[in-house]
Amino acid sequence: MLTITNLRLKIGEMRILNGVNFSVAPGEKLGIIGPNGSGKTTLFNCISGFNIAQTGKIVFRNRDITHLAPSKRAGLGIGRVFQNFGIFREMTVMENIQLALEANHRSVIFPWSKRNRQNKEKSLEFLATVGLDNRADEKAGSLSGGQMRLLEITRAIAFGAELFLLDEPTAGVSPKMKVQIEHSLKKLHDLNKTVLIIEHDINFIQQLCDRIIVLDLGRVMLDGSSEEVRNDPRLQEIYFGTNGHGAPEHSEGQPRIAAAV
Amino acid sequence: MDYLIHLAILVGIYLILAQSFNIVFGLGRMFNLAHIAVYAIGAYTTALLSTNLQMSFWICIPASMIISALFALLIGAISFKLDHDYFAIGSLAFSSVVTAVLINWKSLTRGVLGITGIPRPEVLGIDFSDNTNFLFLLSIFVAAVLISVGIIFKITFARCLRAQAEHSHAARSLGVNLVRLRTNAFIISSAYAGLAGAFFSYYINYIDPSSFGLHEMVFVLSIVIIGKPGSFWGVTAATFFLVLLPEPLRFLSISPSILGPMRQLLYSLILFGVVFWKRKTLFPVERSV
Ligand SMILES: Nc1ncnc2c1ncn2[C@@H]1O[C@H](COP(=O)(O)OP(=O)(O)O)[C@@H](O)[C@H]1O
Ligand SMILES: [Mg+2]
């Protein structure tokens, strides 16, 4: 589905990715963990096309997309859920989904057209699956953090993405909503979508993913089944910085990982 | 009565100008300070074609719209090199270049002397020298512009523009091609501005670079900001309000030399007031990855 080979990215003088290698099979759920600043979001940006790596190659569904524009990559089926919320707050909840449905058609959709009516109906159906249909006409900005995440995941599903890049979908979300998000992520599983998920909570990630990679200093340090990675002593070293790369970085994920390991 | 017709004509021209700016600035939040420059290009196109070449209405109007739209490509090019505040500065610089050309390319534009004797159009054998007739002609075009802009505000294009204003990364992740989207917005908006310019030329019969200065840009900006950027009806109402607002001042016996500055002061104060009042929400917080 996705193969990344020797990806290196330098922004200014800072080397952010230092040769990332991994690949994902269709339908696979891959968890990505790593300390803050290890390059996880940047890696997603390279896959989405917002950053173009200086060297390396990204192949998606047998197509070299290394230099493709972000909108084209989206068109090929790469969906994204952003770390800092990617919903359009000034638009209504429904419009957020409508836009995803419309994106697949290049033609102008007039407000009175049949297609527009169909899209609205379909949007409501998508919203109903996450219990947001009763908020359809409210501004998306009025939703809670968890609901925004649900909306964004639903939007990516409505868009028709095949590969989902989820950047910390449960960060800053109430425990109750977290369960709901987990639920909608399981739906991705039922739909047999391919998922890359960045997450700090290793318990959460283990329920969802068969495989985990650990990113540190812009490199894949560990790659294996959830069990293997979780029990690997090097995981602690990476999070506590005892492997020679200086003082431990303060990481949001530390306490949870520490508790989990 | 003549006076009311004059005001109605002004409202009509500014409706076209403000709603076209509303597409780029209101929906797309692109701070295009070259909008008046494009309006000037439309006005000069009609002025030159109808005086030097005696071109007819049906040639001048499309020519003004097309040439203005071509300049939009330049503005689009600026917007791909410069983002946000830098784009505002870049478009303002572009606008100054246009003004400088209008002033200095004397063989074509007659510089500050301007172009005089622009004839009123004759369409389908009807003479529009009479202001009432002219208002009728303009009204048809204004209606067409308002209806088409009203539709534009409800199609995918508008949703994409609003989306990219808020979160361009998320918009692109939904397949939005920013270059094409923004270019289209500039083209459509500028074609309308060119149309407004053509009618301005026809109406005033005389144009010079001073009609297209920064004060006009501030005026159009005020209309859209006071009407609420992105709101079709708000901007329509604000056009009436702001164009007609200074009119009562005329009935006070103030000398014209004070009246002009007073109007501008009034506009500036209102603009400042609204910007201050709405400072938290005027621009959506631009977010990224
Ligand atoms: N556009 C950028 N310019 C400069 N530095 C950046 C940029 N984007 C990310 N970085 C740096 O790259 C490193 C990795 O960032 P990021 O990928 O966001 O980490 P993570 O998501 O793993 O927490 C950080 O040190 C960050 O400061
Ligand atoms: Mg991150």
Side-chain angles (χ1 to χ4, degrees), chain A residues 85 87 89-90 102-103, chain B residues 159 162 166 170 174 287 289:
Chain A
F85 298 101
I87 59 147
R89 292 169 203 248
E90 304 283 322
E102 288 167 342
Chain B
R159 274 189 280 279
R162 286 160 58 205
E166 243 196 275
L174 293 174
R287 286 166 303 137
V289 283

Side-chain angles (χ1 to χ4, degrees), chain A residues 45 50 70-71 74 78 80 82 84-92 95 98-100 102-103 106-112 116 155 159, chain B residues 29 150-151 154-157 159-160 162-164 166-178 180 228 281 284-285 287-289:
Chain A
N45 283 342
F50 302 129
S71 57
I78 299 183
R80 173 89 181 250
F82 291 88
N84 305 326
F85 298 101
I87 59 147
F88 306 116
R89 292 169 203 248
E90 304 283 322
M91 297 170 56
T92 66
E95 281 175 320
Q98 248 180 298
L99 191 60
E102 288 167 342
R106 282 277 158 260
S107 56
V108 178
I109 299 175
F110 289 106
W112 57 80
N116 195 48
R155 190 176 70 184
F159 177 65
Chain B
R29 290 298 200 279
I151 292 170
K154 290 199 182 305
I155 62 177
T156 316
F157 175 68
R159 274 189 280 279
C160 291
R162 286 160 58 205
Q164 64 85 39
E166 243 196 275
H167 199 311
S168 64
H169 289 87
R172 285 189 282 174
S173 307
L174 293 174
V176 173
N177 179 336
L178 278 193
R180 188 160 58 200
K228 190 165 186 281
T281 53
V285 181
R287 286 166 303 137
S288 70
V289 283

Side-chain angles (χ1 to χ4, degrees), chain A:
Chain A
M1 188 80 169
L2 178 78
T3 306
I4 292 178
T5 338
N6 194 26
L7 207 65
R8 289 171 193 276
L9 177 77
K10 224 168 110 176
I11 298 181
E13 278 310 297
M14 217 168 124
R15 281 158 49 189
I16 299 171
L17 297 179
N18 295 300
V20 173
N21 289 289
F22 69 93
S23 65
V24 195
E28 196 174 1
K29 316 280 173 283
L30 175 68
I32 301 176
I33 60 176
N36 274 348
S38 57
K40 303 180 297 297
T41 298
T42 309
L43 172 64
F44 272 12
N45 283 342
C46 286
I47 303 173
S48 298
F50 302 129
N51 287 333
I52 303 286
Q54 279 93 13
T55 50
K57 199 168 156 185
I58 306 175
V59 176
F60 177 64
R61 287 171 148 179
N62 300 322
R63 189 170 163 179
D64 186 347
I65 60 163
T66 317
H67 299 285
L68 215 58
S71 57
K72 293 238 173 66
R73 297 187 199 207
L76 292 176
I78 299 183
R80 173 89 181 250
V81 170
F82 291 88
Q83 187 172 354
N84 305 326
F85 298 101
I87 59 147
F88 306 116
R89 292 169 203 248
E90 304 283 322
M91 297 170 56
T92 66
V93 172
M94 165 124 84
E95 281 175 320
N96 267 275
I97 306 286
Q98 248 180 298
L99 191 60
L101 294 173
E102 288 167 342
N104 293 321
H105 310 282
R106 282 277 158 260
S107 56
V108 178
I109 299 175
F110 289 106
W112 57 80
S113 69
K114 191 171 157 212
R115 167 149 289 153
N116 195 48
R117 213 174 47 240
Q118 287 170 340
N119 278 345
K120 283 188 169 182
E121 282 164 14
K122 258 198 249 170
S123 305
L124 281 177
E125 284 167 26
F126 276 113
L127 289 173
T129 62
V130 285
L132 286 176
D133 48 335
N134 56 342
R135 313 272 315 252
D137 294 324
E138 289 173 42
K139 271 197 180 178
S142 71
L143 300 176
S144 74
Q147 289 171 322
M148 288 192 204
R149 283 264 157 69
L150 275 180
L151 176 61
E152 200 177 342
I153 295 168
T154 309
R155 190 176 70 184
I157 296 173
F159 177 65
E162 283 302 322
L163 172 66
F164 285 72
L165 306 175
L166 309 170
D167 198 345
E168 304 196 21
T170 66
V173 163
S174 72
K176 196 174 125 235
M177 284 309 295
K178 209 165 159 177
V179 176
Q180 277 223 45
I181 290 175
E182 212 175 321
H183 199 75
S184 73
L185 293 182
K186 291 220 173 87
K187 200 152 51 208
L188 294 180
H189 183 77
D190 299 337
L191 292 166
N192 201 28
K193 304 285 188 186
T194 312
V195 177
L196 299 192
I197 177 166
I198 296 174
E199 207 19 281
H200 280 304
D201 184 342
I202 198 157
N203 289 323
F204 184 84
I205 220 169
Q206 205 177 6
Q207 286 178 23
L208 223 91
C209 304
D210 336 299
R211 188 177 141 214
I212 295 179
I213 64 176
V214 182
L215 220 64
D216 191 26
L217 304 171
R219 257 191 305 263
V220 177
M221 296 303 209
L222 300 173
D223 182 343
S225 76
S226 306
E227 274 305 309
E228 273 168 28
V229 169
R230 189 175 180 158
N231 297 325
D232 197 309
R234 284 173 294 175
L235 182 64
Q236 277 196 358
E237 286 174 19
I238 289 164
Y239 270 90
F240 296 107
T242 49
N243 60 350
H245 64 74
E249 282 180 72
H250 184 73
S251 150
E252 210 194 315
Q254 262 185 34
R256 270 177 285 167
I257 293 274
V261 171

Side-chain angles (χ1 to χ4, degrees), chain B residues 208-280:
Chain B
D208 69 5
S210 74
S211 304
F212 309 101
L214 195 57
H215 57 94
E216 280 294 283
M217 191 63 239
V218 171
F219 184 57
V220 173
L221 192 61
S222 309
I223 294 176
V224 175
I225 286 179
I226 289 163
K228 190 165 186 281
S231 159
F232 178 79
W233 293 110
V235 168
T236 303
T239 309
F240 279 91
F241 176 64
L242 283 188
V243 172
L244 302 180
L245 180 71
E247 294 313 319
L249 290 179
R250 276 184 205 283
F251 298 105
L252 308 174
S253 43
I254 303 173
S255 85
S257 60
I258 300 178
L259 199 62
M262 262 184 74
R263 287 171 58 158
Q264 301 209 356
L265 194 65
L266 187 64
Y267 288 140
S268 308
L269 280 176
I270 293 176
L271 179 61
F272 182 80
V274 171
V275 169
F276 187 74
W277 178 41
K278 295 268 183 191
R279 65 194 178 282
K280 294 249 165 60

